């Protein structure tokens, strides 16, 4: 039988400070890209890749995520009564697509700590972690590309991509040896290094295939960069015992965790939609001709 991963964890308990003030009352994962919240694209990627159950690691102020992935009885009745079948199907589709579980991270102590909350859900299986901050558009979903490698050789896999040198200090960076096209055996990992200390420009993107050994590793790491329990530090401590690969996926990456990336992603996603492409292109053209001012 092929090696399979069927469980995914999506941590959504962070404060989203880079997007304040809107994230004061609105989870950043619920901010829309055109007409769908960012987290929906990630859930859809997981489902299309064959994931059967998803655990959201949530926190205070994240109720909107639970409601979004649940039936909305009054709304659905209203759509039904008005014969708005297509919309009804659209709002129901994502609710029915997958089994969703929730656990609370009582305080956002870092991504590593959020992943540790998934220990009971995961048990002794390998599992995927997806971050709603990172959205990848590609004919074969990024997670499915990684799962294909896992099927051939079970190990830890991290999605990676080259970033401009001057941006390395915003990312977790790997040092690795290319062992197959786009596949690197990781030798070292550094969270947000200074430009002069970065071992490469290969950044870790928010898709991981992890083994359950990560839980013990996380519970042993001390708070790292920013006083947070870093997943990167736990991965680093596993390097001597487990094979960790970084895979440069094919596809286009959009970050949605900071303001400028979020704005760019919204425009790009809208331009990809048939119904908006022409009017939006015309509007942008007009705006640019007027010197960018409305
Ligand atoms: P980020 O570091 O991008 O999220 O974590 P953040 O802390 O919400 O954002 P900023 O840096 O303050 O703007 C990546 C993902 O991990 C989750 C976040 O919700 C986000 O989806 N996360 C982060 C947790 O679930 N718990 C944490 O303690 C930290």
């Amino acid at each position: 039988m092929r090696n399979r991963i069927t469980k995914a964890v999506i941590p959504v308990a962070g404060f989203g400070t880079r997007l304040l003030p809107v994230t004061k009352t609105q989870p950043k994962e619920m901010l829309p890209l055109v007409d769908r919240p960012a987290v929906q694209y990630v859930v859809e990627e997981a489902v299309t890749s064959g994931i059967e159950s998803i655990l959201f690691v949530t926190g205070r102020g994240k109720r909107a995520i639970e409601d979004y992935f649940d039936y909305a009885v009054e709304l659905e009745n209203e759509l039904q009564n008005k014969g708005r079948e297509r919309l009804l199907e659209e709002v129901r589709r994502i609710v029915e697509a997958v089994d969703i579980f929730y656990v609370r991270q009582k305080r956002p102590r870092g991504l590593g700590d959020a992943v540790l909350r998934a220990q009971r859900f995961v048990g002794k299986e390998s599992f995927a972690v997806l971050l709603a901050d990172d959205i990848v558009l590609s004919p074969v979903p990024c997670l499915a590309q990684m799962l294909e490698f896992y099927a051939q050789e079970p190990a830890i896999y991290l999605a990676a991509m080259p970033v401009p040198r001057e941006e390395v200090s915003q990312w977790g960076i790997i040092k690795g040896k290319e062992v197959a096209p786009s596949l690197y055996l990781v030798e070292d990992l550094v969270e947000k290094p200074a430009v002069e200390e970065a071992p490469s420009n290969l950044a870790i993107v928010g898709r991981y295939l992890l083994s359950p050994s990560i839980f013990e590793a996380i519970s042993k790491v001390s708070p790292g960069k920013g006083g947070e329990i870093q997943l990167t530090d736990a991965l680093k401590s596993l390097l001597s015992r487990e094979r960790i690969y970084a895979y440069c996926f094919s596809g286009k990456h959009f970050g949605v965790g900071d303001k400028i990336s979020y704005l760019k992603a919204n425009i790009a996603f809208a331009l990809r939609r048939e119904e908006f492409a022409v009017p939006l292109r015309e509007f942008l053209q007009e705006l640019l001709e007027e010197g960018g001012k409305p």
Side-chain angles (χ1 to χ4, degrees), residues 123-287:
K124 291 189 166 33
E125 297 170 41
S126 285
F127 63 106
V129 172
L130 300 96
L131 304 187
D133 274 12
D134 289 306
I135 297 183
V136 179
L137 291 182
S138 51
V140 178
C142 177
L143 189 68
Q145 294 174 39
M146 296 167 74
L147 289 169
E148 195 51 46
F149 280 101
Y150 182 88
Q152 288 163 29
E153 183 190 344
I156 292 178
Y157 289 86
L158 320 174
M161 68 176 183
V163 296
R165 266 271 161 193
E166 61 278 13
E167 288 177 17
V168 289
S169 55
Q170 297 163 29
W171 297 88
I173 298 290
I174 65 139
K175 178 180 173 214
K177 191 168 72 185
E178 195 167 10
V179 289
S182 304
L183 190 69
Y184 293 78
L185 185 61
V186 176
E187 292 164 345
D188 201 7
L189 297 146
V190 205
E191 185 61 29
K192 302 188 172 73
V195 177
E196 56 284 4
E197 278 157 27
S200 78
N201 69 333
L202 277 188
I204 304 170
V205 176
R207 302 286 181 277
Y208 309 79
L209 302 182
L210 300 175
S211 68
S213 55
I214 195 71
F215 297 121
E216 201 198 336
I218 296 171
S219 59
K220 285 188 180 153
V221 297
S222 320
K225 276 264 151 75
E228 296 194 338
I229 306 287
Q230 298 286 358
L231 182 60
T232 312
D233 293 340
L235 285 165
K236 192 180 159 95
S237 75
L238 286 179
L239 272 173
S240 57
R241 279 178 283 148
E242 288 195 40
R243 260 164 308 129
I244 302 184
Y245 290 106
Y247 167 60
C248 287
F249 55 88
S250 44
K252 184 147 176 63
H253 170 265
F254 294 92
V256 291
D258 65 89
K259 290 174 193 172
I260 186 66
S261 308
Y262 174 69
L263 290 170
K264 286 181 186 171
N266 247 310
I267 295 170
F269 276 59
L271 286 173
R272 276 162 195 265
R273 291 273 291 266
E274 217 176 295
E275 67 268 49
F276 305 128
V278 173
L280 184 59
R281 204 175 287 275
E282 283 170 7
F283 173 72
L284 291 172
Q285 198 77 46
E286 243 172 68
L287 212 56

Side-chain angles (χ1 to χ4, degrees), residues 11-19 28-29 57 62 105 107-111 114 131-133 228 257:
V12 292
F15 282 131
T17 49
R18 284 168 295 161
L19 287 161
K28 74 169 167 185
E29 299 79 8
V57 182
K62 302 283 181 166
Q105 184 189 22
R107 269 192 304 140
R109 299 175 62 219
L111 178 58
L131 304 187
D133 274 12
E228 296 194 338

